[in-house]
């Protein structure tokens, strides 16, 4: 572990010009590459206040042994040099986008004498036209199978093509008219190349002229009573139309653009790209990235654009979820690589905004699937639990973890959630929701919910005879917890009256609260007052992902890429999601019922009729008494009372 002060540049030696810098480890390997508008300002920020830096940045600095830089003239040159160095050195502390799968492309080898249509993956080859990428290879083959009726381009390998020419007999596709058989001279090389060009034009979006041409030929054949030819042309038209149906029109005016969306948490981010050509979605592609340094959405977008379009084809327009920090420099660099102007936009409304939301949903699903695959691995889960036990100095591996979170808006409708993970997996049947009675802040709410949950635990132990009733703590049973039914846990005591498991009789090995030292101390105080000393407690703070133990002045810093931190974060995020969901439902119910409950004689049926008629409480609040009278069952006196109730609520 190096001390950053040992290799800090001398005062005044760092230029104020834009440039790119490199941190190197003791073995002279580049571990981080960055760019800056002002090298002096950027590099001084690393050495000015080491304690105030993010833990990931601290790790990078203590892993490094030296820093050097290169001055450039403009921000565009800095972007270019940064991309070149990242590609050359592959620094371990830079964000790296890894493809979540190898996506297939539809390729036409226009560089060959007889162009061939095929499915290709991996690096792109010179002289080959690519369409896609597509999600699945079978989707490409279905489309190609339809198009070969109209554009019978060669699809066979070089060996099959050569063999057919030697024996003078085409393959099966040549006999069923899905190949023009250039191998045996049925068409000339020029005619076959024209077919390949037409195939590429159709795939590029110029579809109308081909369908209209076939329809003209079909009508002409029918006019001279060549009905068999007309029927074949009709089938060709239908084949092209079916191929087009597989590619839904999402944007008008023949728009060519790439739509990029992000889904991220504190540890990872997923990127999805939809490729729109001619207004149609031609394919999609996804990446997942580990965040090895603290980055904003704009930083992720900038890094992705540099890595994505370093070698790929750049469209006229790119839609992004957030603007890069150096947007003009990025646009200039992309325009220079494309050879013409590139528009980089954050859509705000309309069809493009709707499409961005669709891509974002795909990104969120991709991130969720990535986390699920990671969490479902038994070996990974076991390692995560053991790492938690070692880091927190627990007596045993925490096979059952309970996490608590509080949700509210400015102290109103305060709720709390309890989620349960057993053996590293969510056990949703054990989740619980609490309506908080005190409104004294998050710390008091954590104290209350821990008291209520573990009082129930002590009461259940008394009911089963495991504990003397005098040891079960003070206070009445908790009537505010939502105790929905669910599957029983292995080894959980059974209630003889209901035949169902006693839900709170199974204690956790570890209690995690969403928050820092204050929340962890409140949870520990609640357990101490109840006399429970066999349950460990920790808090997980969101901002820096620090783990706080009660009574400790310094947090436990888990390795950034460790499975233990990933599991704790997943537990915390699930508790947050569950609390938010309950809070929203409770707040929505409050909004619907608050004013209407004060109207005398207005029962549930007529309240529902009002909401159905107006569609929302907001529209009902803005309605006049005359408009309210249009609802069946509402009289003049009730309408006036409703209007008065909303006025009183507003006042």
């Amino acid at each position: 572990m190096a001390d950053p002060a040992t290799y800090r540049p001398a005062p005044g030696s760092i230029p104020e010009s834009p440039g790119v810098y490199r941190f190197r480890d003791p073995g002279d390997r580049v571990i981080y590459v960055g760019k800056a508008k002002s090298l002096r300002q950027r590099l001084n920020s690393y050495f000015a206040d080491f304690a105030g830096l993010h833990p990931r940045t601290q790790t990078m600095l203590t892993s490094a042994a030296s820093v050097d830089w290169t001055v450039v003239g403009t921000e565009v040159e800095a972007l270019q040099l940064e991309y070149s160095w990242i590609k050359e050195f592959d620094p371990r502390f830079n964000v790296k986008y890894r493809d979540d799968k190898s996506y297939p492309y539809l390729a036409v080898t226009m560089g060959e004498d007889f162009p061939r249509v095929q499915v290709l993956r991996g690096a792109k080859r010179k002289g080959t036209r690519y369409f896609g990428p597509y999600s699945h290879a079978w989707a490409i083959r279905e489309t190609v199978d339809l198009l070969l009726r109209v554009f019978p381009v060669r699809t066979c390998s070089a060996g099959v093509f050569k063999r057919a020419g030697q024996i003078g007999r085409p393959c099966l596709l040549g006999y069923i008219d899905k190949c023009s058989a250039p191998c045996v001279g049925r068409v000339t090389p020029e005619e076959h190349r024209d077919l390949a060009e037409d195939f590429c034009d159709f795939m590029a979006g110029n579809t109308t002229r081909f369908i209209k041409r076939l329809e003209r030929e079909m009508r002409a054949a029918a006019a001279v009573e060549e009905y068999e030819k007309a029927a074949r042309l009709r089938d060709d038209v239908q084949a092209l139309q079916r191929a087009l149906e597989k590619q839904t029109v999402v944007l008008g005016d023949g728009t060519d653009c790439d739509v990029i969306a992000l889904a991220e948490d504190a540890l990872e981010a997923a990127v999805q790209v939809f490729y729109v050509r001619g207004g149609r979605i031609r394919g999609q592609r996804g990446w997942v990235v580990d965040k090895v340094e603290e980055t904003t959405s704009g930083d992720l977008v900038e890094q992705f654009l540099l890595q994505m379009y370093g070698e790929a084809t750049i469209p006229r327009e790119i839609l992004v979820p957030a603007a890069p920090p150096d947007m003009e420099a990025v646009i200039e660099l992309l325009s220079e690589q494309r050879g013409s102007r590139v528009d980089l936009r954050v859509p705000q409304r309309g069809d493009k905004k709707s499409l961005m939301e669709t891509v974002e949903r795909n990104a969120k699903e991709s991130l969720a699937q990535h986390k699920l695959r990671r969490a479902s691995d038994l070996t990974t889960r076991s390692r995560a639990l053991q790492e938690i036990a070692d880091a927190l100095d627990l007596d045993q591996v925490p096979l059952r973890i309970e996490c608590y979170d509080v949700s509210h808006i400015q102290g109103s409708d305060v709720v709390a959630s309890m989620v349960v993970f057993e053996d590293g997996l969510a056990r949703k049947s054990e989740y619980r929701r609490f309506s908080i009675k005190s409104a004294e802040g998050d710390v008091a709410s954590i104290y209350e919910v821990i008291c209520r949950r573990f009082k129930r635990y002590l009461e259940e132990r008394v009911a089963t005879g495991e504990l003397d009733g005098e040891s079960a703590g003070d206070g009445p049973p908790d009537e505010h917890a939502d105790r929905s039914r669910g599957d029983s846990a292995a080894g959980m005591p059974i209630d003889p009256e209901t035949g169902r498991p006693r839900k709170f009789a199974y204690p956790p090995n570890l209690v995690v609260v969403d928050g820092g030292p204050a929340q962890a101390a409140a949870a520990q105080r609640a357990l101490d007052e109840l006399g429970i000393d066999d349950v460990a407690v920790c808090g997980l703070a969101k901002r820096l992902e620090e783990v706080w133990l009660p009574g400790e002045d310094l947090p436990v810093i888990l390795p950034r890429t460790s499975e233990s931190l990933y599991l704790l974060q997943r537990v915390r995020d699930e508790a947050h999601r569950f609390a938010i969901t309950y809070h929203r439902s409770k707040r929505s119910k409050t909004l619907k019922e608050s004013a209407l409950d004060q109207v005398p004689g207005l029962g549930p049926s007529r309240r529902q009729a009002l909401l159905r008629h107006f569609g929302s409480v907001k529209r009902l609040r803005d309605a006049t008494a005359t408009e309210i009278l249009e609802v069946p069952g509402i009289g003049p006196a009730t309408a006036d009372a409703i209007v008065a109730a909303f006025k009183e609520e507003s006042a």
Side-chain angles (χ1 to χ4, degrees):
M1 301 287 285
D3 182 0
T6 60
Y7 61 88
R8 178 176 182 171
S13 64
I14 308 174
E16 295 183 357
S17 308
V20 183
Y21 55 91
R22 294 177 292 190
F23 282 92
R24 299 176 181 268
D25 65 9
D28 206 37
R29 289 173 299 184
V30 176
I31 61 173
Y32 183 75
V33 173
K35 63 171 176 57
K37 295 180 182 178
S38 170
L39 285 169
R40 177 177 297 180
Q41 184 177 351
R42 179 61 177 145
L43 288 175
N44 281 339
S45 69
Y46 285 106
F47 301 101
D49 180 17
F50 181 81
L53 296 174
H54 195 280
R56 296 183 297 273
T57 308
Q58 292 179 353
T59 303
M60 186 270 290
L61 288 175
T62 54
S63 301
S66 63
V67 60
D68 59 57
W69 56 83
T70 297
V71 176
V72 296
T74 64
E75 295 175 29
V76 176
E77 292 179 13
L79 282 171
Q80 290 174 321
L81 184 57
E82 181 191 31
Y83 168 72
S84 301
W85 277 358
I86 289 175
K87 187 176 179 182
E88 178 182 354
F89 299 113
D90 191 25
R92 65 187 180 98
F93 282 99
N94 280 91
V95 170
K96 301 183 187 69
Y97 287 91
R98 10 176 244 283
D99 219 334
D100 55 4
K101 62 182 76 171
S102 176
Y103 284 85
Y105 287 81
L106 174 59
V108 185
T109 58
M110 299 302 293
E112 298 182 6
D113 294 335
F114 294 94
R116 173 191 175 193
V117 175
Q118 60 183 320
V119 178
L120 288 180
R121 300 175 187 262
K124 294 187 177 180
R125 306 171 187 175
K126 189 176 181 180
T128 300
R129 291 195 63 179
Y130 289 87
F131 303 94
Y134 291 81
S135 301
H136 304 283
W138 54 261
I140 304 178
R141 295 189 179 99
E142 283 186 356
T143 301
V144 170
D145 188 61
L146 291 169
L147 296 182
L148 289 180
R149 269 191 72 96
V150 185
F151 312 107
V153 185
R154 166 199 164 204
T155 58
C156 60
S157 65
V160 173
F161 185 84
K162 182 179 179 181
R163 175 65 177 165
Q166 290 173 342
I167 63 176
R169 188 171 67 245
C171 63
L172 177 62
L173 291 177
Y175 282 108
I176 62 176
D177 295 328
K178 285 197 173 182
C179 178
S180 55
C183 53
V184 294
R186 286 188 186 173
V187 294
T188 65
E190 292 75 19
E191 290 172 334
H192 185 265
R193 181 166 292 275
D194 289 341
L195 283 174
E197 292 285 358
D198 288 345
F199 181 95
C200 291
D201 284 348
F202 186 89
M203 290 301 302
N206 302 322
T207 59
T208 306
R209 67 184 181 94
F210 294 106
I211 294 178
K212 288 183 176 179
R213 185 187 71 188
L214 291 174
E215 288 176 341
R216 286 197 303 269
E217 293 176 1
M218 177 184 67
R219 287 191 291 269
V224 296
E225 299 183 356
E226 294 182 2
Y227 298 118
E228 290 184 0
K229 180 181 179 181
R232 285 196 303 272
L233 292 168
R234 177 203 61 199
D235 294 341
D236 290 347
V237 171
Q238 291 175 349
L240 294 184
Q241 290 172 340
R242 286 199 302 274
L244 289 176
E245 288 170 1
K246 294 177 178 294
Q247 300 167 331
T248 308
V249 175
V250 291
L251 299 175
D253 303 325
T255 304
D256 289 350
C257 69
D258 288 354
V259 188
I260 301 170
L262 283 172
E264 56 180 311
D265 57 27
L267 293 176
E268 295 173 308
V271 182
Q272 282 283 315
V273 181
F274 275 26
Y275 301 93
V276 180
R277 299 294 182 268
R280 301 175 184 271
I281 297 176
R282 301 294 183 180
Q284 70 180 100
R285 193 175 181 184
W287 291 261
V288 179
V289 61
D290 287 323
K291 291 184 177 180
V292 293
E293 62 168 345
E294 189 172 14
T295 55
T296 64
S297 297
D299 292 329
L300 287 172
V301 168
E302 180 180 288
Q303 293 158 0
F304 176 75
L305 292 173
L306 293 177
Q307 295 185 38
M308 166 74 178
Y309 296 112
E311 298 175 351
T313 303
I314 304 175
R316 291 193 300 267
E317 184 178 9
I318 302 173
L319 305 180
V320 295
D326 302 321
M327 189 162 182
E328 291 303 321
V330 173
I331 291 175
E332 185 177 343
L333 177 60
L334 294 177
S335 300
E336 182 181 319
Q337 291 178 348
R338 186 177 190 270
S340 60
R341 172 74 180 179
V342 174
D343 291 327
L344 192 63
R345 298 177 181 173
V346 180
Q348 302 296 328
R349 62 185 66 85
D351 292 340
K352 292 180 179 178
K353 176 66 173 176
S354 300
L355 181 57
M356 174 66 75
E357 291 171 352
T358 300
V359 184
E360 185 178 348
R361 285 196 296 272
N362 279 266
K364 290 179 179 177
E365 179 64 22
S366 175
L367 184 60
Q369 291 297 322
H370 170 74
K371 288 180 173 292
L372 185 62
R373 287 193 297 270
R374 185 172 177 180
S376 62
D377 180 25
L378 177 60
T379 304
T380 302
R381 296 202 315 270
S382 300
R383 184 168 67 252
L385 294 172
Q386 186 61 55
E387 287 177 0
I388 292 173
D390 294 340
L392 304 185
D393 197 21
L394 304 181
D395 295 333
Q396 58 181 335
V397 170
L399 295 179
R400 179 181 170 104
I401 300 174
E402 292 181 1
C403 185
Y404 298 83
D405 188 23
V406 175
S407 180
H408 60 87
I409 293 182
Q410 297 181 343
S412 65
D413 295 321
V414 186
V415 301
S417 66
M418 178 187 103
V419 301
V420 180
F421 274 59
E422 290 185 351
D423 197 21
L425 294 176
R427 191 175 183 90
K428 295 192 176 183
S429 62
E430 301 299 314
Y431 287 13
R432 292 294 175 270
R433 308 180 301 186
F434 298 84
S435 293
I436 300 300
K437 294 175 283 186
S438 65
E440 301 175 4
D442 289 355
V443 174
S445 299
I446 287 290
Y447 172 79
E448 177 186 327
V449 73
I450 296 295
C451 282
R452 287 165 56 182
R453 184 265 182 265
F454 283 94
K455 279 182 182 178
R456 287 293 311 276
Y457 161 60
L458 295 176
E459 290 166 5
E460 296 286 6
R461 291 188 65 188
V462 170
T464 58
E466 299 178 39
L467 191 66
D468 185 358
E470 296 180 357
S471 306
D474 299 328
D478 181 14
E479 300 297 338
H480 295 267
D482 184 335
R483 297 185 288 274
S484 56
R485 297 185 182 183
D487 299 333
S488 62
M492 190 177 291
I494 301 297
D495 189 330
E497 295 182 3
T498 64
R500 296 198 302 269
R502 297 182 182 275
K503 296 298 185 181
F504 286 98
Y506 195 38
N509 303 111
L510 175 65
V511 166
V512 180
V513 294
D514 182 13
Q519 285 81 0
Q524 186 63 59
R525 179 160 53 88
L527 293 176
D528 291 342
E529 292 177 1
L530 293 172
I532 298 174
D533 58 3
D534 57 350
V535 175
V537 175
C538 74
L540 183 60
K542 279 191 180 72
R543 190 174 72 87
L544 298 179
E545 303 298 338
E546 299 167 331
V547 180
W548 289 91
L549 297 177
E552 297 292 335
D553 295 332
L554 296 175
V556 176
I557 304 296
L558 296 175
R560 182 63 184 168
T561 57
S562 66
E563 295 298 332
S564 54
L565 181 58
Y566 169 77
L567 177 58
L568 286 178
Q569 188 214 24
R570 183 164 173 257
V571 172
R572 189 269 316 281
D573 291 348
E574 179 68 357
H576 183 67
R577 180 200 65 80
F578 196 51
I580 286 287
T581 303
Y582 184 35
H583 172 71
R584 285 174 178 166
S585 66
K586 188 175 181 181
R587 183 161 54 93
S588 176
K589 184 178 179 182
T590 301
L591 289 173
K592 287 182 180 179
E593 297 179 354
S594 58
L596 297 180
D597 279 348
Q598 309 303 318
V599 180
L602 189 64
S605 298
R606 289 202 285 177
R607 282 204 299 267
Q608 291 298 323
L610 283 166
L611 293 174
R612 279 196 301 269
H613 180 82
F614 289 99
S616 68
V617 175
K618 184 179 183 301
R619 291 182 180 176
L620 176 58
R621 185 180 285 109
D622 297 336
T624 63
T626 304
E627 293 171 334
I628 294 175
L629 281 172
E630 298 175 2
V631 180
I634 302 296
T638 304
D640 291 337
I642 292 172
V643 173
F646 279 121
K647 286 183 178 179
E648 182 180 348
E649 183 188 54
S650 300

